[in-house]
Amino acid sequence: MLDGGKMISLDGVGILGGGGGLICLKRRDLGRSYGVCFLKWRYGRPLCAKPVEDESVPVPISAAELSRVAGNAEALERGRWNRESNALPRQLSATDLVAPSQGLNIRVAYQGLPGAFSEAAALKAYPLCETVPCEEFDVTFKAVEMSVVDRAVLPIENSSDGSIHRNYDLLLSHRLHIVGEVQLAVNHCLMALPGVKKEGIKRVLSHPNALAQCEFKLNKLEVIQQNMHDTAGAAQIIASDNLRDAGAIASVQAAEIYGLNILEKGMQDLSDNVTRFLILAREPIIPGTDRPFKTSIVFTLDEGPGVLFKALAVFSLRNISLTKIESRPQRKRPLKVVTDSNHGTAKYFDYLFYIDFEASMIEPRAQNALAHLQEFATFLHVLGSYPKDTSKCFSQEKL
């Protein structure tokens, strides 16, 4: 094929649509796909972003870089992305998540810098995966949607701090599926530059949640607590800016990566400090019954007496255990007006209800429960049905 007088090569990479018969063509040099009524940039195997100083530490992907990927691949700097494209995404199965695969050739996005706890969760789920750091949680979702990566790992709740509400909101605003979960024991460490003593630290940098989880010991040190975007980023700033009056709360891996000395391990107030992460993908897995499964849903209800009790009863009637209940105001419609003949007009918050329950969507009892719930739910969406993490929680030190 000629392009501006230059000969280029096209490869067949898959079938467009579900009916088959039309092969999608890919330019070898750009990874661009062509088809009837179809023009889409596909990125199947990106590399980490180019390092600034240390070639072993990739720079997180930003939202601006993802926008450039969507708009024009030729504008990207050479070497920042691998433009080889895989075939169209296939539906994942439960066997993709079993331990023997170890995540070989899987690219997993996470929020933060190398050494972040989210990276440790990704490596627990897929020990041989390629981890891809991203600046924001929203960027990790978009990276999966745009085929820049295969999966994203997202913290959703912590045993000390509870739910991470921002990420619940993102689950509904993006078209991704929950395909797994990871539970990670979080060991917070106090670290500083070599030669700095604990007594010389005047301020401690870290993510707000990490600082809150270490509140008791930090208060004893009588230091200023300074919020940062992520734990590993706090360690990186201390190293790059040579901050000798500051310490960071971060992981053992972050100390190793950025050349800091660990002054104290186990800074968290509660020794059993566990964070639960969700694994997200473009396509759902096929639920099974060969192992314990969870299903996550979100729904809304009309205002009325006992309506939430009725919603929860559909699971109790079928002996289905609930493991998580979370409510979030609807951002686009936070208030609803209800007219009552006895009390006039009243305004109520309009809520989304997120529920995790222990059953696979392939089970008739789960299907019947959701069919029952749909009779009076004004909105119902299945976020994913996925294998439950039954592995032992362990600290990043053991990775």
Side-chain angles (χ1 to χ4, degrees):
M1 178 177 176
L2 292 176
D3 182 17
K6 181 178 70 173
M7 181 67 71
I8 62 173
S9 299
L10 298 176
D11 291 334
V13 296
I15 302 298
L16 289 176
L22 178 62
I23 296 178
C24 175
L25 299 177
K26 180 198 70 175
R27 272 186 62 169
R28 291 178 182 170
D29 57 336
L30 294 180
R32 192 174 185 176
S33 301
Y34 300 87
V36 177
C37 299
F38 176 82
L39 180 60
K40 184 176 181 181
W41 293 95
R42 300 193 58 80
Y43 289 83
R45 193 179 293 272
L47 297 174
C48 294
K50 183 172 58 179
V52 176
E53 297 178 356
D54 184 354
E55 293 187 356
S56 66
V57 182
V59 175
I61 297 173
S62 68
E65 288 170 326
L66 283 181
S67 296
R68 289 197 296 161
V69 171
N72 186 358
E74 297 181 34
L76 291 177
E77 299 176 22
R78 182 174 297 180
R80 292 185 74 87
W81 307 97
N82 183 340
R83 290 168 173 163
E84 296 178 4
S85 174
N86 288 338
L88 295 176
R90 65 179 177 83
Q91 189 179 43
L92 303 176
S93 69
T95 58
D96 292 316
L97 301 175
V98 298
S101 69
Q102 301 291 296
L104 186 62
N105 298 324
I106 294 293
R107 295 162 304 284
V108 183
Y110 66 93
Q111 187 275 327
L113 287 172
F117 292 105
S118 291
E119 184 186 40
L123 291 171
K124 181 184 177 184
Y126 305 104
L128 299 181
C129 74
E130 175 191 352
T131 56
V132 180
C134 298
E135 286 185 348
E136 307 283 348
F137 285 123
D138 190 59
V139 175
T140 66
F141 279 84
K142 292 177 180 177
V144 179
E145 289 174 329
M146 296 167 58
S147 300
V148 174
V149 298
D150 302 295
R151 309 281 196 280
V153 169
L154 182 81
I156 199 68
E157 61 179 327
N158 175 265
S159 58
S160 300
D161 290 341
S163 300
I164 302 173
H165 296 136
R166 168 64 175 157
N167 291 341
Y168 271 101
D169 297 336
L170 288 173
L171 283 174
L172 198 57
S173 60
H174 290 272
R175 295 175 177 271
L176 296 181
H177 304 269
I178 304 173
V179 297
E181 66 173 1
V182 181
Q183 297 189 69
L184 185 76
V186 174
N187 176 27
H188 288 304
C189 301
L190 177 64
M191 59 193 68
L193 289 169
V196 173
K197 304 296 183 183
K198 189 185 299 185
E199 296 76 17
I201 293 177
K202 305 301 180 186
R203 53 187 173 133
V204 172
L205 288 59
S206 196
H207 188 277
N209 288 353
L211 294 174
Q213 293 166 20
C214 304
E215 182 179 12
F216 179 74
K217 290 186 178 180
L218 290 178
N219 287 341
K220 287 183 65 176
L221 290 176
E222 298 182 346
V223 293
I224 298 172
Q225 300 178 30
Q226 187 173 337
N227 293 340
M228 302 298 295
H229 203 54
D230 65 272
T231 54
Q236 189 270 337
I237 285 178
I238 288 178
S240 61
D241 294 354
N242 196 33
L243 303 180
R244 303 197 66 83
D245 67 334
I249 296 293
S251 69
V252 173
Q253 282 70 29
E256 295 174 353
I257 291 171
Y258 303 108
L260 302 182
N261 284 348
I262 295 177
L263 303 178
E264 185 176 347
K265 295 183 180 180
M267 287 289 292
Q268 61 271 13
D269 297 340
L270 302 177
S271 57
D272 294 329
N273 186 31
V274 178
T275 297
R276 176 175 170 247
F277 296 80
L278 299 179
I279 304 172
L280 306 173
R282 289 181 294 279
E283 301 293 337
I285 65 170
I286 301 172
T289 57
D290 57 328
R291 70 186 96 175
F293 263 69
K294 273 187 181 179
T295 299
S296 298
I297 64 171
V298 56
F299 60 92
T300 57
L301 299 167
D302 275 331
E303 188 67 31
V307 65
L308 182 57
F309 168 79
K310 295 176 183 177
L312 301 181
V314 306
F315 301 100
S316 177
L317 289 172
R318 294 165 178 86
N319 198 32
I320 297 176
S321 297
L322 305 183
T323 60
K324 175 72 176 177
I325 303 175
E326 183 71 32
S327 62
R328 294 288 295 150
Q330 293 203 56
R331 291 192 169 189
K332 294 183 178 179
R333 193 183 61 180
L335 292 174
K336 61 181 177 182
V337 178
V338 178
T339 302
D340 189 298
S341 58
N342 296 322
H343 302 93
T345 300
K347 290 184 177 180
Y348 298 91
F349 279 105
D350 202 4
Y351 284 99
L352 292 161
F353 296 98
Y354 293 82
I355 284 182
D356 295 343
F357 60 86
E358 292 185 328
S360 168
M361 276 304 300
I362 202 172
E363 298 180 60
R365 60 174 183 154
Q367 298 172 15
N368 293 336
L370 295 192
H372 192 177
L373 176 60
Q374 201 164 21
E375 292 178 7
F376 46 87
T378 55
F379 165 78
L380 174 61
H381 177 63
V382 177
L383 296 168
S385 189
Y386 49 92
K388 180 180 177 182
D389 183 9
T390 57
S391 64
K392 183 179 179 181
C393 293
F394 54 81
S395 169
Q396 316 83 266
E397 294 178 73
K398 299 180 182 178
L399 287 174

